[in-house]
Amino acid sequence: MRSGLRTLAARAARGLRRLCARPASGAPAARAGSGATVFALSSGQGRCGVAVIRTSGPASGAALRSLTAPRALPPARRASLRLLSDPRSGEPLDRALVLWFPGPQSFTGEDCAEFHVHGGTAVVSGVLEALGRVPGLRPAEAGEFTRQAFAHGKLSLTEVEGLADLIHAETEAQRRQALRQLDGELGHLCHGWAETLTQALAHVEAYIDFGEDDNLEEGVLERADSQVQRLQAALSAHLQDARRGQRLRSGAHVVVAGPPNAGKSSLVNLLSRKPVSIVSPEPGTTRDVLETPVDLGGFPALLSDTAGLREGVGPVEQEGVRRARDRLEQADLLLAVLDASDLASPSSRDFLDTVVAPLGARDPREGGQRLLLVLNKRDLLAPGTPPAALPAALPAPLLLSCLTGQGLDTLLAALRTELAALCGDPGAGPPLLTRARHRHHLQACLDALRRARGSSDLALAAEALRAARAHLGHLAGGGGPEELLDVIFRDFCIGK
Ligand SMILES: Nc1nc2c(ncn2[C@@H]2O[C@H](COP(=O)(O)OP(=O)(O)OP(=O)(O)O)[C@@H](O)[C@H]2O)c(=O)[nH]1
Ligand SMILES: [K+]
Ligand SMILES: [Mg+2]
């Protein structure tokens, strides 16, 4: 009966390969198969040294020939210098490098052509207009080249997401994470899990079909169960990443808060290297929450300046204080700022007692917010004088002067450490989940595994295992509603 088991495993493996390798049934393939040839400027807009214009689709060869006539197609994948001219008027457009990528060995899997032209506005628009007049060609929509690549199986969905993130990466850590995803690490991990699941499913199905058969290997069900159990543990561990990958993709929320006039806005301006907030000697200057994206030591962060926390003020400032408290709740990392020369004032005491002390007492490893205590205006302390003693329960403070910049390096190093803990090290460990979509499918897979293990009916257990496997397939291979794919591809610019 072993051969029966093998057959089953092989059948299930074939099904899985189909599930994982192919894109969602339906629309993307339908679009790519529409026979359209698309073209777009693939380099950035505006005047530049060299601009790259691409085409993809069956009419690419004709497009290349009609702009470079009377010359034949250049050799595949080799740059050739050609005079480009308007196919109708014969008017010269530019002397350019052209490349010919016959499908399927191209980025999109279709026939592709590239025109590397001089980056002047008139040259680029002249070539684009000439391409628009070639029969069968139309301008590309945002992300359409990548969508073709996905439809032809050149990129999996997680790789497509990695590519989008790479194009949008603004910090070093984001770039590293995006490259890993583009390399397919998350996809490979899912394929490995899906294969384990396929084996377990084959064992269960074998038992359903041949359970009464004496020749069936012993302990088949037990083996399947322990495989599923191990998978459950692996998925749970991966889901318990405290959303580090998502944070790395969209930025950690760092909120600057403290009593009035502590120098919060001065610190926000210093860290973002631009005048985001108004700074003045008047307490209560900042009223609204002011948010700015910053690169802190290679990590992306969304830095919020807030109103100074105090009671007994007018209605407008009171609303500012309410908004500041709201924002405090949402912080991944709180930068608590106080005036080092004013620690005994009622507003400083109150802030230390009600915000800093309770937060400092919590363990950030248990998913809580993180905290850095900053004592600003150290330049106002007489040289060699420490600031007034703080209650022992508080975290060790960092001394800073926004005025002189003293202590800024130490603060930046501390920020980097905190952000590394919040966002994870994109260069090490297993690939992180960068999107809510990944988390959704993994959680759904885990739920289905739980159902499978909890079921006393083998047929229902097998059904739950199949559902679990489908979620892994959706994560890497796409699938699900067409709108989801639209959302992912809309992230791209035109020409990508
Ligand atoms: N001596 C000294 N003055 C500072 C330092 N940092 C800020 N200040 C001054 O302190 C005053 C208040 O600074 P802000 O940055 O407006 O303080 P804030 O905490 O944002 O104030 P509110 O928004 O009103 O709560 C300004 O006059 C700053 O120039 C510092 O390190 N040393
Ligand atoms: K102020
Ligand atoms: Mg301010």
Side-chain angles (χ1 to χ4, degrees), residues 477-495:
E482 172 70 2
E483 301 83 68
L484 167 80
L485 294 173
D486 280 340
V487 169
I488 291 170
F489 285 98
R490 216 180 299 133
D491 258 9
F492 284 91
C493 25
I494 290 177

mmCIF file of all heavy atoms in Angstrom, residues 477-495:
data_model
loop_
_atom_site.group_PDB
_atom_site.id
_atom_site.type_symbol
_atom_site.label_atom_id
_atom_site.label_comp_id
_atom_site.label_asym_id
_atom_site.label_seq_id
_atom_site.Cartn_x
_atom_site.Cartn_y
_atom_site.Cartn_z
ATOM 1 N N GLY A 477 1.158 32.903 -3.903
ATOM 2 C CA GLY A 477 0.821 32.792 -5.320
ATOM 3 C C GLY A 477 -0.276 33.711 -5.768
ATOM 4 O O GLY A 477 -0.612 33.754 -6.936
ATOM 5 N N GLY A 478 -0.844 34.475 -4.855
ATOM 6 C CA GLY A 478 -1.949 35.331 -5.259
ATOM 7 C C GLY A 478 -3.249 34.628 -5.017
ATOM 8 O O GLY A 478 -3.359 33.822 -4.101
ATOM 9 N N GLY A 479 -4.212 34.897 -5.822
ATOM 10 C CA GLY A 479 -5.523 34.324 -5.588
ATOM 11 C C GLY A 479 -6.352 35.287 -4.786
ATOM 12 O O GLY A 479 -5.868 36.334 -4.368
ATOM 13 N N GLY A 480 -7.573 34.950 -4.586
ATOM 14 C CA GLY A 480 -8.454 35.873 -3.911
ATOM 15 C C GLY A 480 -9.006 36.859 -4.919
ATOM 16 O O GLY A 480 -8.770 36.739 -6.111
ATOM 17 N N PRO A 481 -9.724 37.816 -4.405
ATOM 18 C CA PRO A 481 -10.450 38.706 -5.301
ATOM 19 C C PRO A 481 -9.524 39.572 -6.154
ATOM 20 O O PRO A 481 -8.428 39.940 -5.751
ATOM 21 C CB PRO A 481 -11.271 39.572 -4.343
ATOM 22 C CG PRO A 481 -10.598 39.463 -3.027
ATOM 23 C CD PRO A 481 -9.919 38.129 -2.992
ATOM 24 N N GLU A 482 -10.029 39.889 -7.338
ATOM 25 C CA GLU A 482 -9.307 40.723 -8.289
ATOM 26 C C GLU A 482 -8.986 42.103 -7.701
ATOM 27 O O GLU A 482 -7.949 42.680 -7.970
ATOM 28 C CB GLU A 482 -10.170 40.852 -9.545
ATOM 29 C CG GLU A 482 -9.680 41.837 -10.571
ATOM 30 C CD GLU A 482 -8.422 41.350 -11.251
ATOM 31 O OE1 GLU A 482 -7.956 40.236 -10.943
ATOM 32 O OE2 GLU A 482 -7.907 42.085 -12.070
ATOM 33 N N GLU A 483 -9.895 42.601 -6.823
ATOM 34 C CA GLU A 483 -9.667 43.935 -6.248
ATOM 35 C C GLU A 483 -8.362 43.967 -5.459
ATOM 36 O O GLU A 483 -7.660 44.958 -5.427
ATOM 37 C CB GLU A 483 -10.802 44.345 -5.290
ATOM 38 C CG GLU A 483 -12.188 44.389 -5.913
ATOM 39 C CD GLU A 483 -12.826 43.021 -5.940
ATOM 40 O OE1 GLU A 483 -13.134 42.512 -4.870
ATOM 41 O OE2 GLU A 483 -12.997 42.454 -7.034
ATOM 42 N N LEU A 484 -8.054 42.821 -4.794
ATOM 43 C CA LEU A 484 -6.838 42.763 -4.003
ATOM 44 C C LEU A 484 -5.627 42.973 -4.906
ATOM 45 O O LEU A 484 -4.716 43.735 -4.595
ATOM 46 C CB LEU A 484 -6.743 41.414 -3.300
ATOM 47 C CG LEU A 484 -5.365 41.143 -2.703
ATOM 48 C CD1 LEU A 484 -5.245 41.860 -1.389
ATOM 49 C CD2 LEU A 484 -5.116 39.678 -2.546
ATOM 50 N N LEU A 485 -5.622 42.285 -6.054
ATOM 51 C CA LEU A 485 -4.502 42.440 -6.984
ATOM 52 C C LEU A 485 -4.436 43.881 -7.464
ATOM 53 O O LEU A 485 -3.366 44.462 -7.579
ATOM 54 C CB LEU A 485 -4.687 41.495 -8.178
ATOM 55 C CG LEU A 485 -4.600 40.016 -7.819
ATOM 56 C CD1 LEU A 485 -4.962 39.163 -9.004
ATOM 57 C CD2 LEU A 485 -3.200 39.678 -7.345
ATOM 58 N N ASP A 486 -5.598 44.478 -7.726
ATOM 59 C CA ASP A 486 -5.610 45.874 -8.160
ATOM 60 C C ASP A 486 -4.930 46.758 -7.131
ATOM 61 O O ASP A 486 -4.154 47.633 -7.468
ATOM 62 C CB ASP A 486 -7.056 46.363 -8.375
ATOM 63 C CG ASP A 486 -7.580 45.884 -9.724
ATOM 64 O OD1 ASP A 486 -6.752 45.541 -10.591
ATOM 65 O OD2 ASP A 486 -8.805 45.846 -9.899
ATOM 66 N N VAL A 487 -5.233 46.504 -5.845
ATOM 67 C CA VAL A 487 -4.645 47.323 -4.788
ATOM 68 C C VAL A 487 -3.130 47.179 -4.806
ATOM 69 O O VAL A 487 -2.386 48.159 -4.736
ATOM 70 C CB VAL A 487 -5.205 46.903 -3.403
ATOM 71 C CG1 VAL A 487 -4.416 47.552 -2.291
ATOM 72 C CG2 VAL A 487 -6.671 47.287 -3.296
ATOM 73 N N ILE A 488 -2.657 45.936 -4.936
ATOM 74 C CA ILE A 488 -1.214 45.711 -4.897
ATOM 75 C C ILE A 488 -0.531 46.370 -6.096
ATOM 76 O O ILE A 488 0.480 47.049 -5.961
ATOM 77 C CB ILE A 488 -0.921 44.203 -4.853
ATOM 78 C CG1 ILE A 488 -1.375 43.650 -3.500
ATOM 79 C CG2 ILE A 488 0.565 43.939 -5.050
ATOM 80 C CD1 ILE A 488 -1.374 42.153 -3.413
ATOM 81 N N PHE A 489 -1.115 46.203 -7.281
ATOM 82 C CA PHE A 489 -0.439 46.732 -8.469
ATOM 83 C C PHE A 489 -0.558 48.245 -8.575
ATOM 84 O O PHE A 489 0.266 48.895 -9.194
ATOM 85 C CB PHE A 489 -0.968 46.047 -9.735
ATOM 86 C CG PHE A 489 -0.440 44.660 -9.872
ATOM 87 C CD1 PHE A 489 -1.180 43.571 -9.467
ATOM 88 C CD2 PHE A 489 0.840 44.445 -10.373
ATOM 89 C CE1 PHE A 489 -0.673 42.284 -9.552
ATOM 90 C CE2 PHE A 489 1.347 43.158 -10.463
ATOM 91 C CZ PHE A 489 0.588 42.074 -10.054
ATOM 92 N N ARG A 490 -1.586 48.805 -7.934
ATOM 93 C CA ARG A 490 -1.741 50.252 -7.985
ATOM 94 C C ARG A 490 -0.587 50.946 -7.251
ATOM 95 O O ARG A 490 -0.323 52.122 -7.459
ATOM 96 C CB ARG A 490 -3.083 50.648 -7.372
ATOM 97 C CG ARG A 490 -3.709 51.837 -8.091
ATOM 98 C CD ARG A 490 -5.033 52.219 -7.463
ATOM 99 N NE ARG A 490 -6.010 51.165 -7.507
ATOM 100 C CZ ARG A 490 -6.753 50.800 -6.455
ATOM 101 N NH1 ARG A 490 -6.598 51.370 -5.280
ATOM 102 N NH2 ARG A 490 -7.672 49.857 -6.569
ATOM 103 N N ASP A 491 0.086 50.224 -6.361
ATOM 104 C CA ASP A 491 1.239 50.759 -5.640
ATOM 105 C C ASP A 491 2.371 51.170 -6.576
ATOM 106 O O ASP A 491 3.272 51.886 -6.190
ATOM 107 C CB ASP A 491 1.801 49.686 -4.706
ATOM 108 C CG ASP A 491 1.365 49.924 -3.280
ATOM 109 O OD1 ASP A 491 0.517 50.792 -3.089
ATOM 110 O OD2 ASP A 491 1.894 49.240 -2.393
ATOM 111 N N PHE A 492 2.342 50.639 -7.792
ATOM 112 C CA PHE A 492 3.447 50.899 -8.712
ATOM 113 C C PHE A 492 3.211 52.176 -9.497
ATOM 114 O O PHE A 492 2.090 52.631 -9.656
ATOM 115 C CB PHE A 492 3.575 49.747 -9.711
ATOM 116 C CG PHE A 492 4.195 48.542 -9.118
ATOM 117 C CD1 PHE A 492 3.421 47.577 -8.536
ATOM 118 C CD2 PHE A 492 5.570 48.382 -9.144
ATOM 119 C CE1 PHE A 492 3.990 46.453 -7.989
ATOM 120 C CE2 PHE A 492 6.140 47.256 -8.594
ATOM 121 C CZ PHE A 492 5.350 46.290 -8.017
ATOM 122 N N CYS A 493 4.336 52.708 -10.050
ATOM 123 C CA CYS A 493 4.179 53.846 -10.918
ATOM 124 C C CYS A 493 3.940 53.329 -12.338
ATOM 125 O O CYS A 493 4.147 52.155 -12.624
ATOM 126 C CB CYS A 493 5.428 54.703 -10.872
ATOM 127 S SG CYS A 493 6.892 53.804 -10.401
ATOM 128 N N ILE A 494 3.541 54.212 -13.221
ATOM 129 C CA ILE A 494 3.412 53.845 -14.635
ATOM 130 C C ILE A 494 4.822 53.590 -15.154
ATOM 131 O O ILE A 494 5.756 54.297 -14.795
ATOM 132 C CB ILE A 494 2.727 54.990 -15.407
ATOM 133 C CG1 ILE A 494 1.269 55.055 -14.970
ATOM 134 C CG2 ILE A 494 2.848 54.806 -16.906
ATOM 135 C CD1 ILE A 494 0.457 56.146 -15.569
ATOM 136 N N GLY A 495 4.986 52.568 -15.943
ATOM 137 C CA GLY A 495 6.314 52.270 -16.476
ATOM 138 C C GLY A 495 7.019 51.183 -15.709
ATOM 139 O O GLY A 495 8.123 50.787 -16.050
#
